[in-house]
Amino acid sequence: MLRYAGSFLARHVRGAGALPPALRLPALRAAAAYPPPSLALGGGLPSADGRRTTTILAVRRGNTVAVIGDGQVTQGGTVMKPNARKVRRLGPGGSVIAGFAGATADAMTLLERLEGKIDAHPGQLLRAAVALAAEWRLDKYLRRLDAVLIVVDAKMSLTLTGGGDVLEPCDGIVGVGSGGTAAIAAARALVSVADESAAARQESSNTVGTAETAAGAPGMGAEEVARRAMKIAADMCVYTNDSWVTEVIVDGEGAPATTEGGDTDAQTSKGAADALASTAAASPVTSDPEGEVMAEGDPGKRKGKKEGGGGT
């Protein structure tokens, strides 16, 4: 009781010197043990209005990175909206993908400032993220914004918090929100199983350097790993639904379009990396050295040049 009384007096009376000597030291200790809520906002604590109940996941695999987020907005025990868009593209040409967990207005404010930093430092995502984190931490108004951001480009993935943290995962997998831990665990398990399966197939076939080995398990690109992990997180977390928005960046191949949908779309739609691979592959053709084909029944008559397969 003395602890809470001293904390209250220390915060509402000008200076600890106004307290009696017997209460002065306990009051200072109690005030230090319970920092103001504004110092905790933007860190790892839940938001005051309960809107950090979501799941955002980023998976980097090979030259592809996918960011997926659910659309559920929950306030208390009520689902306010099932299809909110929490993953967006930023920067020139949509070269950066950002996902957020937290209060929507706060996150939008931070994304606008991040886009300004990206425009000021083109092609330098780490520098732009550090600049935003420093401003977010030091500004007396921004430090009250309650959100956590995931930002990725073709080279790196980062997590930004209001505590001044700029974190890059060691394995290219990062998640935030109430279901973030479950999504990360599921994605790591899927990647591990895919790599082990690819290694076993390579050993059994004695084939080295094939395209299948380089890409891991067939059909287990970054986007599919993200979708499967998100499905597991949605089954475990009551604040995460199966209405997803996915953004994909393929290094050196451009930026594919956004895909939206849940578990049904994951079964019917192809991944961005698979789509690029299928359009880039050409059908094998046979022709004479001059690239022409003889007409049947007349060796001296030519049909003309044979068209190669693989047209889009």
Side-chain angles (χ1 to χ4, degrees):
M1 191 67 181
L2 178 63
R3 182 179 185 181
Y4 292 101
S7 175
F8 176 83
L9 292 175
R11 294 182 184 183
H12 296 277
V13 179
R14 289 191 176 182
L19 298 175
L23 295 177
R24 191 174 303 168
L25 185 58
L28 293 176
R29 289 178 178 175
Y34 296 92
S38 60
L39 298 181
L41 293 179
L45 297 179
S47 61
D49 60 354
R51 295 180 185 270
R52 188 171 291 182
T53 49
T54 186
T55 301
I56 307 294
L57 176 68
V59 177
R60 184 177 299 273
R61 188 152 169 79
N63 66 335
T64 306
V65 58
V67 182
I68 185 170
D70 78 304
Q72 182 168 316
V73 177
T74 308
Q75 187 172 18
T78 304
V79 177
M80 304 298 294
K81 186 177 181 180
N83 59 344
R85 185 181 179 87
K86 306 172 187 176
V87 178
R88 300 171 181 269
R89 285 188 177 270
L90 305 174
S95 59
V96 177
I97 302 174
F100 66 87
T104 303
D106 294 353
M108 291 297 101
T109 301
L110 293 169
L111 290 179
E112 289 179 0
R113 290 182 174 266
L114 176 61
E115 191 164 19
K117 302 297 183 183
I118 293 173
D119 293 339
H121 308 290
Q124 304 179 62
L125 179 61
L126 181 59
R127 184 174 180 182
V130 170
L132 175 65
E135 184 176 350
W136 189 359
R137 172 67 173 170
L138 298 177
D139 190 274
K140 64 179 181 179
Y141 297 108
L142 291 181
R143 73 177 59 170
R144 295 180 176 273
L145 300 182
D146 181 22
V148 177
L149 304 181
I150 288 180
V151 292
V152 305
D153 64 358
K155 302 298 182 182
M156 65 175 56
S157 305
L158 301 172
T159 303
L160 282 67
T161 71
D165 301 318
V166 180
L167 307 175
E168 182 178 10
C170 61
D171 55 1
I173 301 174
V174 58
V176 296
S178 57
T181 303
I184 292 174
R188 287 177 177 174
L190 289 169
V191 169
S192 177
V193 170
D195 292 341
E196 291 176 1
S197 300
R201 284 192 304 273
Q202 177 181 352
E203 184 178 355
S204 62
S205 61
N206 295 324
T207 304
V208 180
T210 62
E212 178 180 327
T213 302
M220 282 290 286
E223 185 176 1
E224 184 167 354
V225 170
R227 285 181 175 274
R228 293 190 180 189
M230 198 70 173
K231 177 64 170 61
I232 295 173
D235 291 341
M236 297 179 63
C237 179
V238 297
Y239 300 108
T240 303
N241 64 5
D242 57 357
S243 178
W244 308 327
V245 174
T246 308
E247 294 280 1
V248 180
I249 292 178
V250 181
D251 189 14
E253 299 291 343
T258 306
T259 58
E260 300 186 13
D263 188 38
T264 303
D265 295 336
Q267 298 176 2
T268 58
S269 63
K270 291 186 178 180
D274 298 336
L276 289 175
S278 62
T279 55
S283 302
V285 297
T286 57
S287 61
D288 63 350
E290 297 180 358
E292 299 179 349
V293 180
M294 303 293 294
E296 295 181 2
D298 188 358
K301 186 177 180 181
R302 298 183 180 271
K303 289 183 178 179
K305 299 211 177 268
K306 184 176 182 179
E307 297 181 358
T312 56

